[in-house]
């Protein structure tokens, strides 16, 4: 029973770290990609494109990175 509890804790810790790693990688990647897309599609300058891309970039980066972390730890 005690070994099973340690295995569950280890699995939860591994999944949590994978989600955190995915989110930390996803946020800058998605934010930069959105900034580039906004620059190409609109006639905004760089500062306005960054301002526009920050919130959706963070949200999409956390969602996508978390999803990728969960998918990576599935057995």
């Amino acid at each position: 029973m005690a070994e099973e509890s340690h295995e569950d804790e280890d699995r939860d810790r591994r999944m949590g770290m994978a989600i955190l790693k995915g989110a930390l990688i996803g946020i800058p990647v998605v934010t930069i990609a959105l900034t580039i897309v906004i620059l190409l599609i609109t006639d905004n300058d760089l500062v306005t494109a960054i301002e526009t891309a920050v919130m959706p970039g963070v949200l999409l980066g956390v969602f996508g990175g978390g999803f990728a972390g969960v998918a990576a730890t599935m057995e």
Side-chain angles (χ1 to χ4, degrees), residues 11-70:
R11 185 180 356 202
D12 291 342
R13 183 175 300 117
R14 190 177 52 211
M15 183 175 285
M17 292 303 292
I19 291 170
L20 179 65
K21 183 179 176 183
L24 289 176
I25 292 171
I27 290 172
V29 169
V30 173
T31 303
I32 291 169
L34 282 175
T35 301
I36 293 169
V37 168
I38 290 169
L39 276 172
L40 294 174
I41 291 175
T42 65
D43 58 350
N44 293 337
D45 59 344
L46 180 62
V47 175
T48 307
I50 292 171
E51 290 172 352
T52 305
V54 167
M55 187 181 296
V58 169
L59 294 174
L60 287 171
V62 169
F63 175 75
F67 185 78
V70 170

